[in-house]
Amino acid sequence: ETGVTQSPTHLIKTRGQQVTLRCSSQSGHNTVSWYQQALGQGPQFIFQYYREEENGRGNFPPRFSGLQFPNYSSELNVNALELDDSALYLCASSFRDREQETQYFGPGTRLLVL
Amino acid sequence: GENVEQHPSTLSVQEGDSAVIKCTYSDSASNYFPWYKQELGKRPQLIIDIRSNVGEKKDQRIAVTLNKTAKHFSLHITETQPEDSAVYFCAATKAGYSSASKIIFGSGTRLSIRP
């Protein structure tokens, strides 16, 4: 198992509500990436945080936002939830260096929007 | 745009036989290629990875090959066992650049091992 943890494990919300998901990175890691995994599909990159700043974003609207804290943990916030936001949300932590940046995934938060 | 294609989408092999999964990437700047295994309801787990300056890497029953010219890479599992049954994702990324090292995943291969 990796040292990456996420909370909560499961969440049920209704359309229009807001949600905050949390991720604690593995010790020694300074970068957190967030992914959305719909049922039966591969994870899709949402954004990445490095040194507390957003450092790259995938094709997700601005209602998906995030934070990274000084201890490198991170939050994903989603506003105005839509039914299609139902998915497994994965965070991955890594240590940025020049040659490779292996990303280790947390267990995920399963979000259901009704 | 950046894309990773993965084939086949499903694969069923007899226990003890070999399994091969193939992927193609579009971004020639990609330099790091991890493979993840995801069991039902669990997180993706890194099983092997390869850098662009290496053509082949092996770890026990698992091997990965990379052809940079053709932008192809493949996963080979030998002597398959029931616990190899899972969904496997290939991925490509540009590690070490100033922009985000986002992982681009393939669509996944559901591998089933027949007893």
Side-chain angles (χ1 to χ4, degrees):
Chain A
E1 294 296 332
T2 70
V4 184
T5 61
Q6 291 185 245
S7 63
T9 55
H10 295 82
L11 204 53
I12 300 175
K13 291 284 188 179
T14 57
R15 271 188 309 174
Q17 285 189 311
Q18 179 266 343
V19 68
T20 297
L21 311 181
R22 295 177 175 83
C23 173
S24 292
S25 58
Q26 187 168 309
S27 177
H29 286 181
N30 59 10
T31 304
V32 174
S33 306
W34 285 93
Y35 294 83
Q36 180 195 67
Q37 187 177 22
L39 199 62
Q41 298 182 22
Q44 298 293 314
F45 176 76
I46 302 174
F47 43 55
Q48 183 178 85
Y49 277 83
Y50 172 61
R51 293 183 176 177
E52 301 179 51
E53 292 189 358
E54 186 179 297
N55 184 43
R57 189 178 186 93
N59 295 325
F60 282 82
R63 58 188 186 85
F64 285 78
S65 63
L67 287 172
Q68 186 181 32
F69 301 99
N71 65 356
Y72 304 120
S73 65
S74 178
E75 285 183 356
L76 165 65
N77 299 291
V78 187
N79 294 322
L81 284 167
E82 300 177 0
L83 297 179
D84 285 348
D85 295 333
S86 296
L88 179 67
Y89 288 85
L90 296 159
C91 77
S93 80
S94 56
F95 180 77
R96 174 165 289 183
D97 66 27
R98 290 190 62 80
E99 293 195 345
Q100 70 181 63
E101 191 174 312
T102 303
Q103 297 190 17
Y104 296 94
F105 284 86
T109 294
R110 190 165 297 280
L111 173 65
L112 177 61
V113 182
L114 301 176
Chain B
E2 301 153 317
N3 187 45
V4 174
E5 293 189 1
Q6 182 172 349
H7 300 281
S9 58
T10 60
L11 180 60
S12 178
V13 301
Q14 193 74 35
E15 182 178 351
D17 288 350
S18 296
V20 180
I21 302 171
K22 297 182 179 182
C23 293
T24 304
Y25 61 98
S26 62
D27 188 346
S28 57
S30 296
N31 60 2
Y32 176 59
F33 305 88
W35 285 84
Y36 289 89
K37 174 184 180 183
Q38 188 174 31
E39 297 177 20
L40 190 62
K42 296 193 174 181
R43 73 185 80 193
Q45 286 190 301
L46 180 74
I47 55 171
I48 196 168
D49 53 16
I50 190 168
R51 304 179 198 174
S52 58
N53 59 352
V54 175
E56 185 172 356
K57 182 177 179 181
K58 189 174 181 180
D59 182 4
Q60 299 182 343
R61 297 187 296 109
I62 296 174
V64 58
T65 59
L66 172 65
N67 182 330
K68 280 178 56 179
T69 304
K71 292 190 280 188
H72 290 170
F73 58 118
S74 300
L75 177 73
H76 303 252
I77 306 174
T78 59
E79 300 174 11
T80 53
Q81 300 170 2
E83 54 264 36
D84 294 330
S85 295
V87 178
Y88 291 80
F89 291 99
C90 63
T93 188
K94 293 180 286 188
Y97 285 68
S98 58
S99 59
S101 55
K102 60 181 178 181
I103 300 178
I104 306 299
F105 284 86
S107 53
T109 296
R110 183 172 300 278
L111 175 62
S112 300
I113 308 301
R114 304 190 303 271

